[in-house]
């Protein structure tokens, strides 16, 4: 495989989605290469300063789930544009399905940019779609099942290494 860090984008900023902050919202992809995810970013349409962003990686053996948590971290939100998880270390295993997601700690709504359709494959994975799963504010769901992703992607950036 690759010997270096790669930055891949899923989705784009061609449209946007109205989302509830307490929902676990993100992109599903099938890992086609085993990599370590070292940073996760998502493009917010509005200012998230003063918000807490809960980043989470879930995985499953099948597209439909159940997806169970593998990694999570909380960071402060920032001005409109790409929000960042900071430096992380989350393993991606070829052949597994992953959900890269965010949930805000507050009650309310916000907007994330997304593509109108699925965007091309990344160096390590194939986009499957997006989902938004009902949750309690500030509490990650224990698992996400019966997943039927919508054929488009939020604008995430993935930094990975071998």
């Amino acid at each position: 495989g690759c010997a270096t860090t790669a930055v891949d984008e899923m989705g784009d900023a061609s449209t946007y989605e109205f989302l509830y902050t307490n929902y676990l919202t993100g992109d599903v992809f099938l890992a086609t290469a085993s990599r370590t995810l070292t940073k996760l970013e998502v493009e917010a349409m509005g200012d998230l300063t003063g918000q807490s962003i809960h980043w989470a990686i879930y995985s499953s053996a099948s597209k439909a789930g159940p997806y169970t948590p593998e990694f999570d971290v909380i960071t402060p939100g920032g001005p409109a544009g790409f929000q960042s998880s900071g430096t992380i270390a989350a393993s991606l295993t070829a052949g597994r399905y992953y959900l890269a997601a965010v949930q805000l700690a507050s009650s309310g709504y916000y907007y994330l940019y997304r593509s109108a359709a699925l965007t091309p494959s990344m160096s390590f994975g194939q986009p499957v779609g997006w989902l938004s799963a009902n949750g309690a504010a500030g509490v990650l769901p224990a698992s996400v099942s019966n997943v039927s992703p919508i054929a488009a992607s939020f604008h995430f950036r993935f930094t990975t290494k071998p």
Side-chain angles (χ1 to χ4, degrees):
C2 285
T4 54
T5 293
V7 178
D8 287 272
E9 292 193 27
M10 183 157 45
D12 58 37
S14 57
T15 185
Y16 58 87
E17 194 70 26
F18 169 94
L19 300 158
Y20 293 103
T21 50
N22 58 300
Y23 278 53
L24 180 74
T25 299
D27 286 341
V28 176
F29 62 92
L30 171 62
T32 53
S34 296
R35 306 273 294 173
T36 298
L37 180 62
T38 58
K39 187 165 68 172
L40 194 56
E41 297 166 279
V42 68
E43 192 177 8
M45 196 171 162
D47 187 354
L48 296 184
T49 302
Q51 297 269 12
S52 281
I53 302 174
H54 205 154
W55 304 83
I57 305 288
Y58 285 63
S59 82
S60 174
S62 69
K63 183 168 89 169
Y67 287 78
T68 52
E70 295 244 341
F71 177 87
D72 72 282
V73 65
I74 297 172
T75 66
F82 277 101
Q83 310 295 312
S84 175
S85 67
T87 301
I88 61 173
S91 297
L92 304 176
T93 302
R96 286 188 70 80
Y97 287 86
Y98 289 88
L99 167 63
V102 291
Q103 183 183 39
L104 272 51
S106 63
S107 290
Y109 60 88
Y110 69 119
Y111 296 88
L112 288 179
Y113 284 110
R114 69 167 175 84
S115 58
L118 284 176
T119 49
S121 289
M122 302 170 290
S123 66
F124 64 87
Q126 171 71 49
V128 173
W130 69 268
L131 66 86
S132 195
N134 196 355
V139 182
L140 291 176
S143 69
V144 181
S145 298
N146 305 315
V147 169
S148 181
I150 295 161
S153 300
F154 290 107
H155 197 196
F156 273 90
R157 268 197 312 232
F158 299 86
T159 304
T160 61
K161 69 179 186 182

